[in-house]
């Protein structure tokens, strides 16, 4: 699978997560899981519970 270019706002959120000790919060597998979950509910609401640093939302 080809790597995607991450939005600019992901880097600062990633640094916050790293500083808080959540080094694995932004591994590609997590992003793919969130993308798959969101695609399974088109037009619906999806909630993601993460580290609070905004990596998943960014």
């Amino acid at each position: 699978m080809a790597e995607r270019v991450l939005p600019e706002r992901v880097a600062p959120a990633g640094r916050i997560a790293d500083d808080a000790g959540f080094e694995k919060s932004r591994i590609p597998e997590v992003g793919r899981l969130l993308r798959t979950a969101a695609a399974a509910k088109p037009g619906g609401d999806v909630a993601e519970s993460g580290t609070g640093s905004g990596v998943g939302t960014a």
Side-chain angles (χ1 to χ4, degrees):
M1 179 180 287
E3 289 296 315
R4 292 179 172 231
V5 175
L6 298 175
E8 286 183 26
R9 60 185 172 228
V10 172
R15 284 191 294 276
I16 292 168
D18 289 348
D19 290 346
F22 295 102
E23 292 89 6
K24 294 186 178 185
S25 68
R26 57 186 171 141
I27 58 174
E29 293 82 4
V30 172
R32 287 193 288 270
L33 175 64
L34 292 174
R35 183 176 62 228
T36 300
K41 190 78 171 163
D45 295 325
V46 175
E48 186 265 332
S49 176
T51 63
S53 62
V55 175
T57 303

